[in-house]
Amino acid sequence: MTTILGVIKMSTQALKKAAVLGAGSMGHGIAQLLIMTGTDVTMVDINDDILVKAREKIQWSIDKFVEKRTIRKEDADAAMARLHTTTSMNDAFKDADLVVEAAPENLDMKKKLFTQIDKAAPKHAILGSNTSTLSITELGKVTSRPDKVVGLHFFNPPQMMPLLEIIKGAQTSEETTKFALDLAKKLGKTPVLVKKDVRGFIVNGILASVFNEAFWAVERKEATKDEIDAAMKYQAGFPMGIFELADFVGLDILNSVAKEMEEAFGARAKACPIYQPLVEAGKLGQKTGEGFYSWSAGRPRIPFELADKFDPNRLYTMAANAAAWLVHEDVATPADIDTAMKFGTGWPSGPCELADKMGIDVVVKNLNELHTKHPEPMYEPCPLLLDYVKNGWLGKKSGQGFHKYK
């Protein structure tokens, strides 16, 4: 912590105490990361039972690191000694240098929590939200320190996933952004910077366009879910099929993200209603035992023999267009977009790399064909892609596209 003209500025070197609001799977994972890198953490939730279970899960996880000889037993013990719990938000926040909110994805709830955090936390404290799509700007507005509010989107499980999306709200300062980027590195994460507070950020914004196109293809009876999942797993080399991943994420969560995206981008993100009957029936995917697939016997079997029935380039095309909008609107760089999708979702290549390999002219051709068949705004090529083609930047074959090639 440094003081300039009486103003306290935070640095990761000065980070001594943090608080994590919410002791669910994300919250306790974030708390574990912090205690394992030398920070005292107070984890707060609504009752002691939740906190006891969270501590047990952290202990179990750290013990696994010891078993695998990733850390020493004495370091594990020291980390656990840095973990404190309370049901009092005032006690948790009163001397925190950093507060990370990890509550459920509900903007009204998060706004109320940020108002309370702001009142209880020291004036120098950085306030971070582990939201996957909600507005950092809106959360900042309910505080007296919008310049110190930042998005810290960890991926599940936080202890293992290498990516951390850093999201700048409209008033997030450069000092706060630098703190967040440095924090990511201190925690052993690869950070990507979301320079503008757009819905879905990088990963969920691109995933939403891919999910939506797969859903529309099935809704229009242009393919089956098994054909799409087989193609994406066995042709494209994705870790999961699209519908399998939808079940894994949770159809209620996808529904919430789809609504956020459509509200933000209108017809460009027109949501497919295919999963609405499943959501209404409580069939939300893996966590309820049934969604697009039945999970009663474990992970569903995706039939290999259907792998050549659907062209993955259709989904690559939509991912490339979504990525182009992010670059066009100065939300993120092509390099950060590709890193985010590879590290956050396990894609073998990022959407900008895929577009360059496919050919930007081919991406535009594919979009135009889809738009002719289905005259919807979602298929209109981003102006950036049209500019690339006009300039002859067609990707690898021309030496430049999203990226430059020798």
Side-chain angles (χ1 to χ4, degrees):
M1 214 180 314
T2 58
T3 303
I4 299 177
L5 299 178
V7 178
I8 296 175
K9 301 175 76 173
M10 271 301 300
S11 67
T12 52
Q13 291 83 4
L15 175 61
K16 302 300 180 189
K17 293 185 177 181
V20 176
L21 173 56
S25 59
M26 296 303 292
H28 79 248
I30 295 165
Q32 179 179 328
L33 284 170
L34 287 162
I35 62 172
M36 288 178 70
T37 49
T39 303
D40 278 350
V41 175
T42 300
M43 192 166 50
V44 59
D45 213 309
I46 57 174
N47 66 57
D48 286 321
D49 287 343
I50 294 172
L51 293 166
V52 167
K53 289 175 183 176
R55 177 180 275 278
E56 289 171 352
K57 288 175 181 176
I58 292 172
Q59 182 72 67
W60 178 88
S61 179
I62 287 182
D63 286 346
K64 285 294 179 185
F65 283 111
V66 173
E67 283 179 28
K68 294 175 182 177
R69 298 187 177 182
T70 306
I71 61 173
R72 298 178 302 174
K73 178 69 166 63
E74 53 266 38
D75 293 333
D77 292 342
M80 288 304 299
R82 289 191 283 269
L83 179 65
H84 316 281
T85 59
T86 182
T87 56
S88 166
M89 287 200 283
N90 284 339
D91 288 347
F93 307 147
K94 66 183 180 182
D95 56 358
D97 302 312
L98 167 70
V99 178
V100 181
E101 167 271 314
E105 285 287 273
N106 180 296
L107 185 59
D108 289 337
M109 178 195 294
K110 286 181 186 281
K111 281 183 174 181
K112 290 175 183 174
L113 291 172
F114 264 76
T115 300
Q116 292 175 277
I117 295 168
D118 182 51
K119 289 177 180 175
K123 292 302 180 186
H124 72 271
I126 303 291
L127 312 185
S129 176
N130 178 52
T131 176
S132 58
T133 189
L134 298 177
S135 173
I136 301 304
T137 302
E138 290 302 309
L139 295 178
K141 283 179 181 177
V142 302
T143 75
S144 62
R145 63 183 98 191
D147 59 312
K148 290 184 170 63
V149 176
V150 65
L152 300 172
H153 180 207
F154 291 84
F155 288 73
N156 198 13
Q159 305 94 315
M160 304 301 295
M161 292 295 284
L163 185 71
L164 179 55
E165 282 186 311
I166 308 297
I167 304 98
K168 286 186 71 174
Q171 296 189 59
T172 305
S173 70
E174 291 303 321
E175 290 82 6
T176 298
T177 303
K178 183 181 186 305
F179 172 88
L181 290 167
D182 289 346
L183 176 68
K185 293 169 187 172
K186 180 178 179 178
L187 298 179
K189 302 302 175 188
T190 297
V192 292
L193 179 60
V194 184
K195 296 184 279 183
K196 288 183 180 176
D197 186 14
V198 298
R199 302 289 57 74
F201 313 139
I202 298 173
V203 172
N204 283 333
I206 290 174
L207 275 183
S209 70
V210 171
F211 278 127
N212 209 31
E213 184 57 21
F215 295 163
W216 278 116
V218 173
E219 178 80 359
R220 294 168 180 147
K221 300 187 174 7
E222 295 168 337
T224 67
K225 68 174 174 55
D226 286 345
E227 289 169 349
I228 292 173
D229 279 6
M232 298 316 290
K233 280 193 74 169
Y234 307 124
Q235 270 198 71
F238 280 35
M240 282 187 172
I242 301 300
F243 290 83
E244 183 184 13
L245 179 59
D247 274 359
F248 185 78
V249 170
L251 302 188
D252 53 336
I253 293 172
L254 288 187
N255 188 39
S256 175
V257 171
K259 286 179 179 176
E260 284 280 332
M261 297 296 289
E262 190 166 9
E263 185 178 324
F265 300 111
R268 203 173 95 198
K270 181 182 175 183
C272 179
I274 191 171
Y275 51 82
Q276 289 298 333
L278 295 171
V279 172
E280 289 166 11
K283 298 176 179 180
L284 307 180
Q286 184 192 38
K287 61 189 171 188
T288 61
E290 188 174 355
F292 285 113
Y293 294 99
S294 170
W295 292 77
S296 57
R299 189 170 175 177
R301 178 189 170 272
I302 311 298
F304 180 81
E305 59 272 19
L306 297 178
D308 61 351
K309 300 293 185 182
F310 180 81
D311 184 0
N313 284 335
R314 178 166 173 176
L315 300 189
Y316 291 162
T317 293
M318 299 308 292
N321 204 35
W325 279 108
L326 291 173
V327 177
H328 180 63
E329 295 173 346
D330 196 32
V331 174
T333 65
D336 271 357
I337 291 167
D338 286 343
T339 296
M341 297 311 293
K342 288 187 286 188
F343 285 23
T345 67
W347 283 21
S349 299
C352 300
E353 294 169 327
L354 288 167
D356 281 353
K357 184 178 180 182
M358 194 188 316
I360 305 295
D361 52 336
V362 175
V363 171
V364 171
K365 175 176 170 287
N366 291 347
L367 286 165
N368 286 334
E369 287 176 355
L370 284 165
H371 191 257
T372 298
K373 192 174 182 182
H374 308 292
E376 299 273 3
M378 70 181 81
Y379 300 117
E380 293 174 1
C382 173
L384 182 78
L385 296 177
L386 300 178
D387 285 345
Y388 281 0
V389 172
K390 183 179 178 181
N391 292 331
W393 299 351
L394 307 182
K396 276 194 168 182
K397 59 190 174 187
S398 69
Q400 183 168 350
F402 282 102
H403 302 285
K404 289 185 179 180
Y405 302 88
K406 291 181 179 179

